[in-house]
Amino acid sequence: MVVDDHPMWRDAVERDLAAAGMDVVAVAATGTEAVTRSAATRPRVVVLDLQIPPPTGVEVTREVLAADPSARVLVLSASGEQADVLAAVKAGATGYLVKSASAAELIDAVRRVAAGDTVFTPGLAGLVLGEFRRMASGPAEPEHPAPELTDREVEILRLVATGLSYKQIAEMLVLSHRTVQNHVQNTLRKLQLHNRVELTRWAIDRGLDEPDGTPGPAVGG
C-alpha cells in the first residue's frame, strides 16, 4: 500500500512498484484512509509518507502494526531529521528512506523490508542504533525470563544488533540468506517480538551488540 498526500508522487511510487512486479493493493492520501484501507486489504508492506493529513504517519504506523503485527512499514519521507526518524522507528517502522532515493533503491528497500530486513537511508541506521544504546543505558527494565536461544541464534542476534543486513550476516557466517532469515524468525517467535527493530532493541538492552558481549542468564546456548 502506498500512502502519500501528493497525487503525482503517490502515482509515481505506485507505478514504479507495479513495474517491478509488485501488487499495489491500495493507495491512500490521508492517515484515516491509510488505517481503513490497510485493515481492508492487509498489505504486506506499507510505503508511507510521514507528513500526511491526520492521523500522522507515525500514528498510522502504530495503528497499522497494532492491527496487523505481521505488516511492515517503510517510511518514504522528505525529512531526514533525527526526531522524525526516531519517532517512526519507535512506532515500529522497519525502514526509512528519504525521497531523494532512486526508484531502484525504493524497490530494493521494499523487497528487503518484506523479507524482514531493516533498511535505512545511509547514515540513519547509525542514528537509530545510537538511540537504542542511549535508551539501554537508562534505568534497567524489569527482567523477564526469555526462552532459551541456540548458540547460532545468539550469534546471529549479536550481528543483527550491530546493524548488519541479512546479506552481510550470511556472507560473514558463510550461510544462505534464507538460513539467516529463518534463524531470525525463530528468535522473534521465541521472544514474542514482532520485527527486527524490536529484536535489535532487545539485544542492545542486554549488551549483545558489544563485540565481547556475552549472553545474559536469560539467553541460553
Side-chain angles (χ1 to χ4, degrees):
M1 182 171 76
V2 179
V3 184
D4 198 300
D5 62 335
H6 291 87
M8 289 182 64
W9 187 267
R10 185 176 63 244
D11 292 348
V13 171
E14 180 183 9
R15 195 163 50 244
D16 287 341
L17 295 179
M22 301 180 193
D23 294 325
V24 180
V25 297
V27 296
T30 70
T32 300
E33 288 179 355
V35 172
T36 300
R37 293 175 186 176
S38 175
T41 59
R42 310 269 301 182
R44 186 172 177 184
V45 177
V46 179
V47 179
L48 172 70
D49 187 15
L50 289 184
Q51 284 73 40
I52 54 176
T56 67
V58 169
E59 292 167 326
V60 168
T61 298
R62 195 174 291 114
E63 290 192 41
V64 165
L65 296 177
D68 181 9
S70 69
R72 298 289 179 262
V73 174
L74 171 64
V75 171
L76 183 62
S77 175
S79 171
E81 293 296 318
Q82 175 175 334
D84 290 332
V85 177
L86 295 179
V89 171
K90 288 176 183 177
T94 50
Y96 196 111
L97 292 184
V98 294
K99 286 187 172 179
S100 58
S102 67
E105 289 171 327
L106 171 63
I107 291 164
D108 178 65
V110 171
R111 287 179 172 145
R112 287 174 57 192
V113 167
D117 216 339
T118 53
V119 182
F120 294 96
T121 291
L124 297 185
L127 170 68
V128 173
L129 289 173
E131 176 65 9
F132 283 168
R133 291 184 180 115
R134 186 194 66 77
M135 293 168 63
S137 68
E141 296 181 1
E143 190 71 32
H144 298 286
E148 189 170 276
L149 303 181
T150 66
D151 288 343
R152 180 65 88 181
E153 286 167 349
V154 172
E155 182 179 30
I156 291 174
L157 180 54
R158 283 181 179 149
L159 296 174
V160 165
T162 66
L164 295 178
S165 70
Y166 288 165
K167 180 180 179 182
Q168 290 170 318
I169 294 171
E171 291 173 351
M172 184 175 295
L173 299 181
V174 195
L175 298 171
S176 71
H177 181 282
R178 175 64 65 183
T179 297
V180 172
Q181 189 175 334
N182 287 341
H183 279 303
V184 171
Q185 291 302 315
N186 288 338
T187 304
L188 285 169
R189 188 182 67 254
K190 288 181 180 181
L191 300 179
Q192 298 181 18
L193 300 174
H194 296 130
N195 56 56
R196 196 181 144 164
V197 169
E198 292 182 3
L199 187 63
T200 299
R201 182 174 176 184
W202 188 95
I204 289 174
D205 282 346
R206 287 152 182 81
L208 293 179
D209 58 314
E210 299 297 331
D212 58 349
T214 55
V219 184

